[in-house]
Amino acid sequence: QVQLVESGGGLVRPGGSLRLSCAASGFTLSSYGVGWFRQAPGKEREGVSCITTRDVQMDYTASVKGRFTISRDNAKNTVYLQMNSLKHEDTAVYYCATSFLSCPSNPGSSAFGTWGQGTQVTVSS
């Protein structure tokens, strides 16, 4: 069964860090671009970052530059999103998704076909 499962979300204080995981089963994650997305209450889903099949990071939103790092562990068939210096506005449900086009320049691309169920990140003091 083809599946993506996110984990690692939680409650963190402003300035803190979290590492999200996106674990794949039923297919090899390294063959795909993997994007991270988030959706805050009352807002549309937005692209956060993406890692290409050549392990290059592409940031979809300027607000995460220098704070979020995306990486792969092919042995674990997992992609990570390391989030540092978290802010209140980072609060959202975070999703990962795979793209057969590596990392499309448009995060709304239909190339993102397989999605996880999401993990909640709450940044609050």
Side-chain angles (χ1 to χ4, degrees):
Q1 181 181 3
V2 172
Q3 192 174 13
L4 291 174
V5 177
E6 301 97 333
S7 61
L11 173 64
V12 63
R13 296 182 184 276
S17 298
L18 281 175
R19 188 178 78 160
L20 305 184
S21 299
C22 172
S25 58
F27 67 104
T28 302
L29 202 53
S30 61
S31 298
Y32 297 85
V34 179
W36 282 97
F37 300 79
R38 65 187 180 187
Q39 187 166 21
K43 295 187 177 181
E44 292 188 355
R45 186 177 64 200
E46 68 170 347
V48 176
S49 294
C50 185
I51 186 166
T52 71
T53 51
R54 295 188 176 189
D55 292 350
V56 175
Q57 179 169 342
M58 176 187 296
D59 290 328
Y60 287 130
T61 180
S63 67
V64 306
K65 286 185 186 298
R67 299 191 299 124
F68 289 12
T69 302
I70 191 169
S71 62
R72 294 180 186 269
D73 185 334
N74 292 334
K76 295 183 178 180
N77 212 24
T78 299
V79 166
Y80 302 100
L81 183 68
Q82 177 68 44
M83 306 187 296
N84 299 327
S85 303
L86 283 162
K87 306 176 181 180
H88 288 111
E89 51 265 40
D90 294 318
T91 295
V93 178
Y94 283 71
Y95 302 87
C96 63
T98 59
S99 168
F100 65 88
L101 288 178
S102 196
C103 287
S105 57
N106 177 6
S109 171
S110 60
F112 286 106
T114 299
W115 291 79
Q117 84 291 346
T119 185
Q120 175 71 47
V121 171
T122 302
V123 184
S124 175
S125 53

